[in-house]
Amino acid sequence: MNQRTGFTLVLWSSCLAMLAVGANSTAIMAALPTMRTELLLSSAGVQWAVNAYLVVSAAFIVLGGQAADRFGPRLASIVGLALFAVASCIIATAGTQAALLAGRALQGLAAAFAVPSTLAAVDTSAAPERRAAAVGAWTGFLMLGFSIGPLLGGALTHVTGWRVIFWLNVPLMLSAVIGLASAGSATARAYATQSRRADWIGFVLLATLMVSLVFGLHALPHAGAAPLPVVGPFALAATAFVLLLTVESRSEAPLVDLSFFARRGFVMGVAIGSLSMFSIMSLLLYFNLYAQSREGLGLTALEAGAALLPLSAALLALALSASAVAARVGLRNAMTGGMALIAIASAVIGAAIAGGGMVLLAIGFFVMGTGLAVPYALAPRLALSALSPAQTGQGSGIINACTFLGGSAGVAGGATAFALGGFVGVLTMIALAGIIGAALSRGISETA
């Protein structure tokens, strides 16, 4: 097998896997009401059916990136994707709340290895002139999965039952594993694995920081009635953060290389990617809650998912062509424009739900998809361009850890905004994220 064929197998296997991972992250939201009845889920169980995935992913994803550096991204990807298939089987056959949550946590662990490893595999196996387009394709399929998840989950739950959502992951993941394994030695020369001692102290501190932050963020809506569940986790997170800085600065082989954060391009890419995920997750979750409520649009799960199709189309099209847009107008202008469109689209969607009708809503979602796709597709490229090829796996892990936390922050912040101002409150929060992102993007170097 030649190098080009090997790269093609790596690219499309990784894209297929990310489509499944992305859809899995949001499809469950449409299925949860049925799952709650069938599995007798408690209120906390419904919340942790989503949170278990996010918390475990955020806690382990940097370790997953380091695994790509240590063992090679292709092997780490294969292990992560196979584990994701096993976890999906556990969820699909779950008969209790405990089994469901265990499967979701295992999916989060699998995603923590699969996401940074497949990104590193695509980035390092591509020729320099094709790297930007390849990373854009990887991002585009992940974002497409995020956006079609609610429609897919609603349709499958209505037609065949919610368990099929997770059974579908199995053939998709196995196909991706076969494709990556078949690439074999054709891409082996593109990546040199590193032998380095595992930084377990750094991992424990990082996991504590991530989990504490997520717990604190999700407790924020109830801070008035129960302040301790907010103050306690944030205090623990602050302590873990200080200790992490101290330990990692002295470690010979740190889990988190603090020197990455001295590089402007890396910091900019991480920040903008996190703001994009913040916006995506809060929009998808709270639109579905609003759209399917009697006080909202009164749509079915299937109709609410269909309303998001303009968003899906824009996400895929613009993510795949984001590199061309950046080449034409400049990376800084592309990122700034994309983040500004998020704020504009929030206003259009707000006008639509205030009485503007479904056509205006579709226009708003298309503009939102356009705005989200460009910065989110280009942010990993910006961050990784500041690193050497040998640092790609670890850098990918940090990038994705921050984006998962961005998504958790969007869900948590959205809960407060939704409680105070309904879906309009959530849109206002998303618009502010877009404005902040646009301001940050103005600081990107034109040579990045």
Side-chain angles (χ1 to χ4, degrees):
M1 182 183 299
N2 60 40
Q3 186 77 18
R4 183 171 183 177
T5 302
F7 162 69
T8 300
L9 279 172
V10 168
L11 175 62
W12 291 110
S13 296
S14 298
C15 287
L16 179 65
M18 289 306 99
L19 179 65
V21 169
N24 179 84
S25 300
T26 54
I28 191 173
M29 297 177 186
L32 272 174
T34 302
M35 295 170 69
R36 181 175 191 171
T37 301
E38 185 174 329
L39 299 179
L40 302 178
L41 302 181
S42 65
S43 297
V46 172
Q47 180 182 9
W48 279 103
V50 177
N51 289 351
Y53 179 85
L54 293 173
V55 169
V56 176
S57 295
F60 281 86
I61 203 162
V62 175
L63 188 64
Q66 191 179 64
D69 283 337
R70 188 170 187 179
F71 303 108
R74 191 172 60 87
L75 178 59
S77 297
I78 289 172
V79 172
L81 298 179
L83 188 62
F84 200 97
V86 171
S88 297
C89 289
I90 293 174
I91 298 170
T93 58
T96 64
Q97 175 173 297
L100 170 65
L101 299 186
R104 287 291 286 170
L106 188 61
Q107 272 193 333
L109 177 62
F113 282 80
V115 172
S117 297
T118 52
L119 176 57
V122 168
D123 185 75
T124 56
S125 63
E129 66 275 9
R130 303 180 68 182
R131 188 166 293 140
V135 171
W138 180 94
T139 305
F141 276 87
L142 179 61
M143 294 182 72
L144 177 62
F146 277 131
S147 61
I148 68 172
L151 174 61
L152 182 66
L156 290 176
T157 300
H158 179 73
V159 176
T160 62
W162 64 267
R163 296 179 189 273
V164 178
I165 297 171
F166 301 98
W167 281 126
L168 277 178
N169 289 332
V170 178
L172 293 176
M173 290 301 173
L174 291 180
S175 297
V177 166
I178 292 170
L180 287 166
S182 299
S185 60
T187 58
R189 296 186 301 276
Y191 201 90
T193 60
Q194 303 174 33
S195 296
R196 49 189 292 173
R197 185 176 59 187
D199 178 16
W200 292 111
I201 296 177
F203 166 69
V204 171
L205 288 172
L206 181 65
T208 301
L209 170 61
M210 297 286 189
V211 172
S212 299
L213 278 175
V214 172
F215 268 89
L217 288 170
H218 282 284
L220 275 177
H222 312 290
L228 187 59
V230 178
V231 175
F234 280 142
L236 181 60
T239 302
F241 178 69
V242 172
L243 291 174
L244 182 67
L245 291 179
T246 303
V247 170
E248 297 301 90
S249 64
R250 298 175 181 175
S251 176
E252 295 181 1
L255 181 69
V256 179
D257 191 334
L258 299 179
S259 69
F260 291 178
F261 294 93
R263 304 174 192 184
R264 187 176 185 179
F266 183 81
V267 173
M268 288 286 187
V270 166
I272 294 169
S274 298
L275 285 169
S276 299
M277 181 65 82
F278 177 97
S279 302
I280 292 171
M281 291 301 290
S282 56
L283 177 70
L284 292 178
L285 176 58
Y286 293 104
F287 172 73
N288 275 278
L289 290 177
Y290 169 77
Q292 295 181 48
S293 68
R294 293 181 180 179
E295 299 78 16
L297 300 180
L299 304 179
T300 65
L302 183 59
E303 290 169 340
L308 290 167
L309 284 176
L311 176 74
S312 305
L315 283 173
L316 180 60
L318 268 297
L320 293 175
S321 59
S323 295
V325 172
R328 184 176 182 85
V329 303
L331 181 61
R332 181 171 65 189
N333 290 335
M335 298 279 258
T336 303
M339 297 304 294
L341 282 176
I342 292 173
I344 294 170
S346 298
V348 175
I349 295 170
I353 64 173
M358 296 302 290
V359 173
L360 186 61
L361 183 65
I363 293 172
F365 277 135
F366 185 83
V367 175
M368 181 66 79
T370 301
L372 287 169
V374 173
Y376 193 73
L378 296 176
R381 164 189 160 184
L382 175 62
L384 291 175
S385 67
L387 307 179
S388 69
Q391 297 169 321
T392 299
Q394 188 180 18
S396 298
I398 295 172
I399 293 167
N400 286 286
C402 292
T403 56
F404 270 103
L405 280 177
S408 294
V411 171
T416 302
F418 195 69
L420 294 175
F423 187 54
V424 172
V426 176
L427 290 171
T428 302
M429 181 189 73
I430 294 172
L432 288 174
I435 292 170
I436 293 170
L440 287 175
S441 297
R442 297 311 300 165
I444 296 173
S445 171
E446 288 288 6
T447 59

